[in-house]
Amino acid sequence: MLNFFQLILIYAGIYAIMAIGQNCITGYTGMLSLCHAGFFCIGSYATAIICKTFGLSFWFSLPVAAIVSGFVGLLIGIPTLRLKGDYLCIATLGLGEIIRNVATNLNPVGYNSIPRATLFGYQFASRNKLAFIFLIWAFVLIFYILFQQLAHSRLGRAMIAVREDEVAAQSNGINVTKYKISSFVLGAAVGGIAGCLQTAYTLTVQPGSYTFMVSVMVLCTVVLGGMGNAKAVILGAVIIQFISYLPQLTGLTNVIPAQAKQIIYGLLLVVMMLCRPQGILGRDKYRYGDPRTRKEKLHDFFVHPRKAKGGKV
Amino acid sequence: MGEILKIDNISVSYGSIRALTDISMSIDEGAVVSLIGANGAGKSTLLKAIVGQEPLKSGSITFAGETICQTKHHHGGLTTDLIARRGIALVPEGRHVFADMTVEENLDMGAFMVRDQALINKRKEEMYDFFPILGARKKQKTRSLSGGEQQMMAIARALMSAPRLLLLDEPGLGLAPLVVQDIFNKIKIINEENKVTVFLVEQNARLALRSSSYGYVLENGKIVLEDKGEALLLNEKVQKAYLGA
């Protein structure tokens, strides 16, 4: 049972990273994209090819996975991001399928027995789940902090403005195309890293595991937790993973068919839209309206550490 | 003072439909110029063309000596955000406020191009002084503001970037007459005290012409009349068509 909880935590972490990427695209910039499985796939394949075919280290494959999937994000983004709402959704859905089909045709059986990742001489073996929990959740923490910073930065501010109102954003001197593409590329790169970590854990890559359902699940995670809130999407990932392993957890695999989770996701989305469209935790507060100048911020940081954290003065 | 915006023979089409035909206009620095016309005359299209949201079929637009809009043939023009950076601020029709943000955050967005936080703070204080209602509501979500308050906020947001030219698209749309009067008074003050050139598009011809030094009348995508503000108010044609006299 403990073993099983650990497995869920590992997958929750991987999905949390994907959801943080999706949140950057959908939550901050407001673009409904449905091809995160594609970026996940690219990251996984990049890692598999680098580690297996070229025999290079996992740590080398990590940035490569991010760069390659970010680059594909750029290629997809430039033509499609001028589309809006449902149209963008359909276009990205198609592109996600293209990525999966290319992967399938590239190597229909996928890659097996990929070399393990090592860190300071320690080998990450799949049976030692605790090590993976630490590894993956360390990445979750890093991305959480990064994207939290991003949301309150100039870049994040521009993305949120694009989400709220494109016409107003443009009139205020914000280059909408530039920020849409940056957000898409960032989200894609993070999706690639999630794929890389998953490969490090499973040590196999199969094209069948990057279906449209994965994209839907990631989107579900973001909607469930709360769009535009990095903390919320991590919570969403944990909940979604628990739901997806519910039959095994309760020991009712004979009674509840595996497909039941798809029904549950769908129902969950409907219920969320009806009762709490902003997600469980809702949107994050905007915090960029900080009236202090940079000098004052530095001063507060060193002299009044509590105030610097945004506490009441 | 010299000319700040020059519109030279521009035409704009939506597919096969001509929205604007051979429009030429000139706006002097420091002036309040208004454009009046009925629904569908092409008023909003003209503003969109100035800020680079509608491609030109012919002609060009020059702002402070620099060509900002051109036909595709001549490498097109600048994008909207770059035009905003040159100092043209548009208050779009229907206000387009960031509804889920507070008034203060909206003003912060308006100052996106300004990098100096001290200057942003100073301008915000100026805006709260100038529009006291915004000062009182600065922590409120814009969604909860009334139409008139939202319009004032949209104007304040546009002023945050300290533009040289302020474009207003129907600032009085859907507002009570008293509120509209108030907004027009504010526009006048902005023009006189902040030395901002104002180009406003309005259906309320009387009010618009009264507060402008110069006016243009747009009909079916063509400029049919142009004159000093007071002169247009007395013009027989204008009185008949737009003032209900």
Side-chain angles (χ1 to χ4, degrees):
Chain A
M1 198 64 186
L2 180 68
N3 214 1
F4 204 69
F5 268 112
Q6 288 178 338
L7 179 76
I8 293 177
L9 270 181
I10 288 174
Y11 273 98
I14 292 171
Y15 272 87
I17 295 171
M18 280 224 273
I20 288 174
Q22 177 88 48
N23 183 42
C24 178
I25 299 172
T26 311
Y28 295 147
T29 322
M31 297 180 290
L32 196 53
S33 144
L34 261 181
C35 60
H36 234 62
F39 301 134
F40 192 46
C41 176
I42 291 169
S44 299
Y45 267 75
T47 305
I49 292 169
I50 287 167
C51 295
K52 180 109 195 257
T53 316
F54 295 108
L56 293 165
S57 142
F58 160 78
W59 299 102
F60 175 73
S61 77
L62 200 68
V64 174
I67 291 167
V68 172
S69 91
F71 182 69
V72 174
L74 183 72
L75 289 185
I76 293 178
I78 289 170
T80 57
L81 293 186
R82 67 189 65 201
L83 302 172
K84 279 182 189 137
D86 327 359
Y87 300 101
L88 176 66
C89 188
I90 293 165
T92 49
L93 190 159
L95 288 161
E97 285 300 291
I98 289 175
I99 295 175
R100 188 173 65 88
N101 281 321
V102 169
T104 312
N105 289 313
L106 202 68
N107 187 346
V109 287
Y111 294 86
N112 287 309
S113 51
I114 294 160
R116 288 172 185 152
T118 54
L119 181 65
F120 302 127
Y122 175 80
Q123 264 205 356
F124 284 94
S126 298
R127 61 181 143 61
N128 190 353
K129 293 203 172 63
L130 209 54
F132 272 101
I133 291 177
F134 279 118
L135 176 72
I136 287 165
W137 281 87
F139 274 97
V140 175
L141 187 68
I142 291 170
F143 284 121
Y144 168 71
I145 293 170
L146 279 180
F147 278 86
Q148 203 68 2
Q149 290 299 315
L150 174 101
H152 301 304
S153 71
R154 202 177 146 77
L155 175 64
R157 207 173 126 174
M159 287 177 182
I160 291 166
V162 171
R163 175 189 74 200
E164 293 288 312
D165 195 317
E166 277 185 37
V167 174
Q170 277 184 326
S171 318
N172 288 325
I174 293 168
N175 185 337
V176 171
T177 321
K178 179 175 130 192
Y179 288 107
K180 274 186 168 179
I181 290 179
S182 323
S183 143
F184 201 71
V185 169
L186 269 179
V190 175
I193 288 183
C196 173
L197 290 170
Q198 193 226 22
T199 307
Y201 173 63
T202 56
L203 300 179
T204 63
V205 168
Q206 273 143 10
S209 46
Y210 306 99
T211 56
F212 170 62
M213 262 321 280
V214 175
S215 297
V216 173
M217 200 152 115
V218 177
L219 188 66
C220 248
T221 305
V222 174
V223 172
L224 179 71
M227 280 196 263
N229 185 340
K231 211 181 290 170
V233 300
I234 297 173
L235 175 72
V238 175
I239 295 174
I240 286 275
Q241 285 308 313
F242 265 97
I243 291 174
S244 89
Y245 285 104
L246 210 57
Q248 290 96 320
L249 265 182
T250 46
L252 296 172
T253 30
N254 299 333
V255 189
I256 311 173
Q259 289 82 355
K261 67 181 179 191
Q262 300 184 2
I263 298 172
I264 299 175
Y265 293 155
L267 274 178
L268 208 62
L269 268 188
V270 173
V271 172
M272 285 304 289
M273 283 300 126
L274 285 176
C275 306
R276 206 174 155 76
Q278 72 272 42
I280 295 174
L281 292 187
R283 260 181 195 163
D284 207 359
K285 282 200 186 73
Y286 311 107
R287 241 195 300 141
Y288 44 74
D290 194 334
R292 295 169 300 164
T293 57
R294 182 158 296 180
K295 210 174 142 197
E296 281 168 347
K297 270 186 206 160
L298 278 176
H299 177 262
D300 286 348
F301 184 78
F302 290 111
V303 186
H304 312 286
R306 268 200 60 207
K307 192 170 148 192
K309 278 183 191 148
K312 285 266 184 289
V313 187
Chain B
M1 274 192 262
E3 182 182 64
I4 189 163
L5 186 80
K6 185 178 169 58
I7 299 176
D8 192 12
N9 252 324
I10 65 161
S11 299
V12 174
S13 305
Y14 293 116
S16 60
I17 299 161
R18 264 279 155 97
L20 296 175
T21 317
D22 298 331
I23 303 268
S24 289
M25 291 174 78
S26 157
I27 295 175
D28 282 344
E29 186 149 24
V32 177
V33 176
S34 61
L35 175 74
I36 59 171
N39 269 337
K43 303 188 299 291
S44 294
T45 307
L46 180 59
L47 285 192
K48 280 187 191 158
I50 296 174
V51 296
Q53 283 176 358
E54 291 297 341
L56 303 185
K57 270 270 143 70
S58 67
S60 67
I61 300 175
T62 318
F63 175 69
E66 182 190 8
T67 305
I68 52 170
C69 304
Q70 267 180 329
T71 55
K72 266 203 187 122
H73 202 66
H74 294 95
H75 311 293
L78 301 174
T79 50
T80 305
D81 55 299
L82 288 177
I83 291 173
R85 275 166 202 272
R86 297 293 188 275
I88 299 183
L90 170 69
V91 179
E93 186 181 6
R95 302 184 279 270
H96 285 276
V97 293
F98 297 114
D100 273 332
M101 298 187 189
T102 65
V103 171
E104 190 168 14
E105 285 160 348
N106 263 280
L107 295 188
D108 279 322
M109 278 299 181
F112 187 78
M113 295 174 273
V114 186
R115 297 280 194 152
D116 180 359
Q117 186 63 46
L119 185 64
I120 296 175
N121 291 343
K122 186 176 147 261
R123 286 203 189 138
K124 273 198 285 196
E125 285 312 315
E126 284 170 9
M127 289 305 146
Y128 296 145
D129 283 343
F130 188 56
F131 300 102
I133 190 71
L134 296 185
R137 304 229 190 288
K138 63 178 165 188
K139 297 285 177 204
Q140 269 186 35
K141 284 213 169 149
T142 315
R143 191 182 291 288
S144 68
L145 267 55
S146 73
E149 289 162 359
Q150 287 190 17
Q151 184 65 56
M152 294 199 195
M153 205 218 66
I155 296 174
R157 189 182 62 190
L159 290 174
M160 284 298 287
S161 58
R164 291 178 68 186
L165 174 64
L166 183 66
L167 305 177
L168 295 158
D169 198 350
E170 306 231 9
L173 190 72
L175 301 179
L178 267 178
V179 179
V180 178
Q181 184 64 55
D182 189 23
I183 286 174
F184 272 83
N185 291 342
K186 296 275 192 207
I187 293 171
K188 193 110 188 148
I189 300 172
I190 292 165
N191 170 253
E192 282 163 6
E193 292 187 355
N194 299 20
K195 305 274 176 277
V196 180
T197 311
V198 178
F199 179 42
L200 66 97
V201 157
E202 186 52 69
Q203 283 203 49
N204 188 335
R206 193 185 309 270
L207 207 51
L209 292 175
R210 234 185 246 157
S211 34
S212 326
S213 50
Y214 205 80
Y216 291 86
V217 181
L218 191 67
E219 245 170 49
N220 292 326
K222 283 181 189 150
I223 301 273
V224 291
L225 260 177
E226 61 173 289
D227 209 335
K228 290 209 166 68
E230 312 98 66
L232 277 183
L233 271 173
L234 298 173
N235 186 298
E236 209 173 292
K237 263 175 145 178
V238 173
Q239 285 194 338
K240 221 173 192 167
Y242 300 102
L243 302 175

